[in-house]
């Protein structure tokens, strides 16, 4: 997969006999997927232009949309696309507002170092449970969450793929406040 | 049935003590807690908590918007295996 491609959706199944498709959106909000068309496949050999776009079931399945594509005329063609992931070029994503803002996918894979220069592993995931972004640092087997806040992130260099962290005290020592 | 107003919000006593200790010390230590059922009080705003989710501690920095919610709401105990939003942004908080 090219590094400049970002996965924004997945074709789930055909709908009806005129080539309509049920698509799952991986954007936030899900409706933003409409603005990213035309989409392409992983190898950029296929391009899909939008003919019509509407929510599949707005109350129960907010991420699902019923889509008609210019390139898909009938159900047979639609069935060949089941399970296909849909991509866009990274440049099509909205511009970041300032230097303190980052896309999650830019942070994943960064090499994590402590202030002393010791390796903490790498950033394997970024999560937001409602209390701000958290970097999952370590390895796939064992990781710890470190808040993506100025107190804990000393420096970040996307070009060198390095992030210097100041992990919370108890992550290193196991001590807690009495 | 909702909780009676005369009882006030539920908070574990030891959590209030820990919060007072950290605030008095002036340091920005993270407060480890297993008490997911405790309500977030206005006194906790600006403090760092680490809430146990049954497996590991999830850092929670308390802001004004969280007042009245429970700590457990910010430390999910089940793993989401779905796809992360492609255009989701993270802002480096102050």
């Amino acid at each position: 997969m090219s590094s400049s491609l970002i996965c924004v959706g997945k074709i789930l199944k055909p709908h009806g006999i005129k080539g309509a498709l049920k698509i799952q959106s991986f954007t936030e909000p899900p409706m933003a997927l409409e603005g990213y068309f035309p989409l392409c496949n992983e190898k950029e050999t296929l391009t899909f232009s939008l003919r019509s776009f509407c929510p599949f079931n707005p109350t129960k399945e907010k991420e699902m949309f019923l889509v008609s594509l210019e390139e898909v005329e009938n159900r047979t063609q639609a069935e060949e696309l089941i399970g296909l992931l849909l991509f866009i070029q990274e440049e099509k994503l909205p511009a970041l507002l300032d230097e303190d803002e980052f896309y999650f996918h830019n942070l994943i894979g960064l090499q994590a170092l402590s202030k002393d220069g010791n390796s903490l592993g790498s950033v394997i995931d970024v999560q937001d449970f409602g209390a701000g972004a958290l970097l999952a640092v370590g390895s796939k087997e064992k990781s710890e969450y470190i808040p993506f806040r100025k107190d804990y992130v000393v420096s970040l260099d996307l070009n060198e793929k390095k992030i210097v962290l100041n992990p919370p005290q108890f992550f290193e020592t196991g001590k807690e406040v009495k | 049935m909702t909780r009676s107003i005369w009882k006030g919000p539920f908070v574990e006593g030891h959590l209030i003590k820990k919060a007072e200790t950290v605030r008095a010390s002036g340091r920005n230590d993270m407060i480890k807690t297993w008490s997911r059922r405790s309500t977030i009080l206005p006194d906790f705003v600006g403090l760092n908590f680490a809430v146990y989710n049954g497996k590991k501690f999830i850092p929670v920095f308390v802001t004004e918007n969280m007042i009245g919610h429970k700590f457990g709401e910010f430390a999910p105990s089940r793993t989401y295996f779905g796809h992360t939003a492609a255009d989701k942004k993270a802002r480096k908080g102050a």
Side-chain angles (χ1 to χ4, degrees), chain A residues 78-115:
Chain A
E79 282 174 348
E80 290 171 6
L81 301 175
I82 292 173
L84 189 79
L85 294 172
L86 301 167
F87 294 82
I88 56 165
Q89 292 289 337
E90 192 174 0
E91 297 84 58
K92 284 172 85 174
L93 290 174
L96 297 169
L97 295 175
D98 57 53
E99 59 182 16
D100 284 339
E101 208 171 54
F102 301 90
Y103 281 113
F104 275 21
H105 63 83
N106 287 335
L107 299 173
I108 294 169
L110 295 181
Q111 189 190 352
L113 301 169
S114 68
K115 278 200 291 189

Side-chain angles (χ1 to χ4, degrees), chain B residues 22-90:
Chain B
V22 168
R23 207 172 269 287
S25 72
R27 291 179 306 187
N28 200 18
D29 287 341
M30 207 170 258
I31 302 167
K32 256 183 173 181
T33 181
W34 285 257
S35 178
R36 299 167 55 83
R37 59 183 182 166
S38 289
T39 311
I40 296 175
L41 301 178
D43 297 350
F44 296 161
V45 172
L47 297 180
N48 286 301
F49 289 84
V51 183
Y52 195 57
N53 75 347
K55 191 176 179 187
K56 57 173 114 175
F57 289 91
I58 309 293
V60 174
F61 176 74
V62 177
T63 58
E64 279 186 20
N65 300 336
M66 298 179 188
I67 295 171
H69 290 265
K70 310 284 184 186
F71 276 108
E73 293 178 54
F74 303 99
S77 55
R78 284 168 176 78
T79 310
Y80 173 65
F81 290 104
H83 203 288
T84 310
D87 51 357
K88 200 159 181 172
K89 295 173 200 167

